[in-house]
Each structure stands twice: as C-alpha cells, then as structure tokens.
Amino acid sequence: MQKELLHSKVDEFEEAMKDMYLIFKVDDQFYGIEIKYVIEIIGLLPITYVPNQEEYVKGIINLRGKIIPVIDARMRLSKPQKEYNERTCVIVTSIDDFLAGIIVDHVSEVAVINKDQISPLPQTYEKVDERFFRGVASLNERLVLILDCETFVKPDRINL
C-alpha cells in the first residue's frame, strides 16, 4: 500500500514538472532547460582548472564534498567571454547520474512552456549547433531558446 502511494506521488510530481523550464540569460538572450534536470542554483564557487579540457569546460568545483565539472554557457554557445559578476550563478544539473554545473549570466524564472508552444528553429543560421536546441518558445513577448540539456551539458570530451 505505501509503495503504491509512493509511486503515485512520484508520478504526480513528474507530471507536474514535465512542462516546467528554468529560464536563464546568457548575453542578451534567454534560454530554457527542463526543470527535471535542475538540482539547484548556487553562487559561483572557486573553480579548479583541469588541463586538457574543451575550452568551455572551466574546471571543477567542490559542491559539499562532490567534485563536479562546470561548463561556461557563454563559451559553449560561442558567445564572447565576459567577466563574472555578482549575478553570475551556476545551475547544477543531473543527467543520468552525471552531475555538472552550467555557469550563466543570471537565472530569470521558472516558467511553464507547453510542447505546443515550442517551435523548431528556423533554418537561417549557418553556425547554429542544432543538436543543442529543441526549439524556440515565445514567453511574455520574448523569445526563449529551449536547450536540449543532455547534449548541451554532457561535454564532447571530459578527461577528469
């Protein structure tokens, strides 16, 4: 009985979370990732550089005893580098037990975006790495690029 109740509650929770996205800003653009991947949002911690990584892999942080890699969203998205400031934060994500942090300019909100609100990206940009994107959504009169968190966060190569 308790096991069935627990499974029921888990199913309800997953259903409630399915259309929720964490919206964040990098440069002048808003991006969103499914909330189911987000563990927490933290301030910027000291980053330990690890050599021989992709340029966007900034290094590792110690998050309460867990050592996790952090990637710079600006660099992953081929945006110009910018000095970190008081609004810079790290979105800690979990994908198939792979923990990683994403450094972003700032987090904006959690929003509900239904699947029918997400449109494919137009085929007008030569350098868009489409594997990172699930589409684009209009939210409160601004465009939000929806990231595929699994391909965005899991680096092409990590040698930790």
Side-chain angles (χ1 to χ4, degrees), residues 97-110:
D97 295 324
F98 175 78
L99 292 176
I102 307 169
I103 301 170
V104 301
D105 292 352
H106 74 271
V107 169
S108 175
E109 64 189 289
V110 173

Side-chain angles (χ1 to χ4, degrees), residues 19-38:
D19 293 331
M20 295 183 79
Y21 289 81
L22 179 67
I23 310 301
F24 60 90
K25 200 167 187 184
V26 174
D27 212 14
D28 291 328
Q29 177 61 52
F30 287 96
Y31 297 87
I33 58 173
E34 288 179 86
I35 199 79
K36 71 180 183 179
Y37 296 113
V38 177

Side-chain angles (χ1 to χ4, degrees), residues 29 79 120-131 133 136 143 145:
Q29 177 61 52
K79 299 275 189 178
L121 281 177
Q123 299 294 317
T124 57
Y125 302 103
E126 290 178 20
K127 292 191 172 190
V128 172
D129 193 340
E130 292 181 19
R131 67 191 168 112
F133 300 100
V136 60
L143 294 179
L145 293 173

Side-chain angles (χ1 to χ4, degrees), residues 1-15:
M1 180 78 165
Q2 285 185 339
K3 195 174 191 179
E4 289 172 1
L5 180 60
L6 178 61
H7 285 295
S8 172
K9 292 293 182 189
V10 168
D11 290 343
E12 286 176 29
F13 179 74
E14 287 176 353
E15 182 65 27

Side-chain angles (χ1 to χ4, degrees), residues 2 7 18 23 47 54 65 68 87 113 128 132-133 139:
Q2 285 185 339
H7 285 295
K18 77 174 187 169
I23 310 301
I47 299 171
E54 298 288 345
I68 64 170
R87 296 197 73 189
I113 302 175
V128 172
F132 291 160
F133 300 100
L139 182 66

Side-chain angles (χ1 to χ4, degrees), residues 68-117:
I68 64 170
V70 288
I71 65 171
D72 189 310
R74 284 180 156 277
M75 297 176 80
R76 187 74 160 144
L77 294 165
S78 302
K79 299 275 189 178
Q81 280 190 287
K82 177 180 152 184
E83 203 167 307
Y84 300 143
N85 61 38
E86 68 280 350
R87 296 197 73 189
T88 304
C89 57
V90 178
I91 302 169
V92 179
T93 61
S94 177
I95 301 165
D96 301 326
D97 295 324
F98 175 78
L99 292 176
I102 307 169
I103 301 170
V104 301
D105 292 352
H106 74 271
V107 169
S108 175
E109 64 189 289
V110 173
V112 174
I113 302 175
N114 298 313
K115 285 184 182 181
D116 60 345
Q117 291 177 273

